Amino acid sequence: MAEKADEGNNESSKIKDAPATFKSKVWTYFGFYSTADGTKLDKDYAICKNCFAKVRYTGNTTNMHSHLSRHHPDLCEKSVTVAGSKPTQPGVDAFFQAKLSPSSARAKAITNGIADNMCKGLRPYSEVENEGFRFLINVLEPRFVIPSRKYFAEKMMHALYAKTRAKVESALDTAERVGLTCDGWTSRATESYMMFTVHFINEDWEIESYVLQTRAMQESHTGAHISDVLKAAADEWGLQAKKPVVVTDNASNMCVAIELTGYQHVRCFAHVLNLASQRALKVASVAKVLAKVRRISTFFHRSTSAAEALKRNQKLLGLPNHKLITDMPVRWNSAYEMMSRFLEQQPAVCANDISSAEEMVEALKPMLVATNIMCEEKNPTISVIAPLHAQLLRNTTSTEEDSPLVREIKGAINQDLSKRYQSEVEKDLLRMSSALDPRFKSLLFLSPEEVQDTYVKLKSKAAALKEGDPAPCGDVKEDLEDEVEPQSSSDTDTTKKRKSALVDLLEIKQYQDAPSLPLTEDPLLWWKSQQHAFPLLSKLAHMHLCIPGTSVAAERVFSTAGDIISAQRSSLTPEHADQLLFLKKNMNI
């Protein structure tokens, strides 16, 4: 034993410490032999001071770390930071921590978190290859191995899509009737897509909205092709039995498509407002004023010295520090905003007085208010169309006090609005929807004859609903004018039906006599509290008020689509684009 100890001491004495420039803590346990002439260190091999094993030295300490971890694990100790000193280099064990198993709960939670961030934050799959992202994950959890972008694209997104889709399908099963919005869009990669969203009222009288799908359309956007895509979407999601009502813009191909499907069609009221307002903006005298303001706004946007002068004038005059706005051709309300901002900043701009600008803004204000009302998503909007349409027709009727410019604006808007919603089927749907909204049930925008006609049709629908017959029933009013008592035993069923009709009529009468709900109140909350008092009408309200009054929901999704299919992701496949949009809009359910 003494001989072996002497041999170890002799061998240990031959090992020279590593140069002072070698800062790694691993050199505490390794050194070098001297060359044969003893003039310098032999750095081809590092020598373990514990077992005297020779470890190949290649300019880094990887081989030494591996040797210690494998043969001397007791020497692996954590680095200790001395109070008041700089942190020491991490211990050997820090480099050899066991990695998390992909099947562990911790690894799965982090992987799911990354996938959720990709969907909710619209991050590309290549995010996992980003140097900064990988550094962040390593700081948060050094043991986690980030899966590849292919793993997220081909496995995680498919799994999330399947899970979320199952929840959407489960929610749709509870819907009695649904409203669909449909619109087309072309990405920056010049690929055409057709978007569908669904809307319904759940059992708690809350409006639920989901993005169903965003499908690429290789064919031309004819009515027949759009009809095929719409019917395929309804079949895929099991919506045929829910009597869908489809809301689209006023494009002729959309109108043809819905007619071919046989679904009920409602034209987007926001689009109607845009068309009428755009027509007013094209009036020669209006276009001339807009051109002047647009040139002023563009000048201040392009000239830095003019922009600085504007800021100085704003401060001097105590005006808000707002920039001038330049309108966009596709959004009529951007012209309104441009004119309003110009009037606000006119003293600072030092422009000549454009007196007609104020008249234009005032004349267009009702259209802006109507547009903002129709952009609401949490409250029913189908019931707002008929009263709002009637109100706008009244507001755009010229008076003697109006200036020639205002008369032209009102005339253009009134003429365009007057030709909208002339179909009897569409008109009946809108009026009955308003009648089923406790805010508008008095139907003050209609004549007494039209009010009576609307409630007669509503009564007919209620009776058909009670009998379980989807087809319209006969005129109950005429039945009630006959004798109620049966003349023979064979007339018993007829008498029961008449008595039932009387009950239905009383329910409608009580509903009409109830106080109207203030415009600021939620009609769905009112129906939730009154559904037992008006069982038939509440079912009809459930089936009517779920229909959106605009296709704004689909258009808003396209704004998100533009963020997903960006210049950096223009090669994203249609399938992945569909999944990402679906998850972005539906993951929170």
Side-chain angles (χ1 to χ4, degrees), residues 309-322 344-349:
L310 178 62
K311 289 181 181 178
R312 289 195 298 270
N313 289 346
Q314 287 171 338
K315 186 175 182 180
L316 182 64
L317 296 171
L319 296 174
N321 185 20
H322 295 159
E344 175 193 86
Q345 298 294 331
Q346 187 173 356
V349 173

Side-chain angles (χ1 to χ4, degrees), residues 501-522:
L502 180 59
V503 172
D504 299 343
L505 186 61
L506 290 174
E507 179 179 324
I508 293 177
K509 183 68 168 60
Q510 290 173 352
Y511 173 70
Q512 286 182 280
D513 292 341
S516 295
L517 193 68
L519 294 178
T520 55
E521 297 296 321
D522 185 350

Side-chain angles (χ1 to χ4, degrees), residues 175-354:
E176 295 183 47
R177 193 183 197 183
V178 298
L180 296 174
T181 69
C182 171
D183 204 355
W185 177 73
T186 302
S187 72
R188 63 170 61 234
T190 63
E191 291 181 325
S192 294
Y193 292 87
M194 191 61 60
M195 160 72 62
F196 301 98
T197 68
V198 64
H199 311 261
F200 62 94
I201 297 175
N202 62 24
E203 296 175 351
D204 289 328
W205 287 91
E206 297 172 337
I207 293 179
E208 292 193 35
S209 303
Y210 300 106
V211 172
L212 287 186
Q213 59 189 47
T214 309
R215 294 297 160 85
M217 276 195 68
Q218 308 298 335
E219 306 86 358
S220 57
H221 286 203
T222 63
H225 289 153
I226 295 174
S227 171
D228 292 339
V229 175
L230 178 55
K231 286 190 288 188
D235 288 337
E236 180 181 341
W237 289 89
L239 303 178
Q240 296 284 9
K242 299 184 183 297
K243 302 177 184 178
V245 178
V246 186
V247 183
T248 71
D249 58 27
N250 288 262
S252 58
N253 60 342
M254 287 294 186
C255 296
V256 171
I258 309 307
E259 184 178 354
L260 290 175
T261 61
Y263 302 147
Q264 199 161 3
H265 186 206
V266 174
R267 291 167 178 80
C268 170
F269 192 52
H271 193 252
V272 168
L273 295 174
N274 183 62
L275 292 175
S277 301
Q278 292 283 10
R279 183 166 181 171
L281 297 180
K282 291 177 182 177
V283 171
S285 53
V286 174
K288 186 177 180 180
V289 176
L290 286 174
K292 288 181 181 179
V293 177
R294 191 180 298 116
R295 283 195 297 269
I296 294 172
S297 174
T298 303
F299 169 72
F300 278 94
H301 275 285
R302 291 181 177 177
S303 173
T304 54
S305 59
E308 289 299 322
L310 178 62
K311 289 181 181 178
R312 289 195 298 270
N313 289 346
Q314 287 171 338
K315 186 175 182 180
L316 182 64
L317 296 171
L319 296 174
N321 185 20
H322 295 159
K323 293 183 178 180
L324 295 179
I325 297 173
T326 304
D327 62 340
M328 297 174 59
V330 295
R331 291 178 56 242
W332 83 266
N333 50 329
S334 67
Y336 180 92
E337 292 166 357
M338 179 180 72
M339 299 297 296
S340 298
R341 182 61 56 83
F342 170 77
L343 289 173
E344 175 193 86
Q345 298 294 331
Q346 187 173 356
V349 173
C350 300
N352 294 330
D353 180 46
I354 304 178

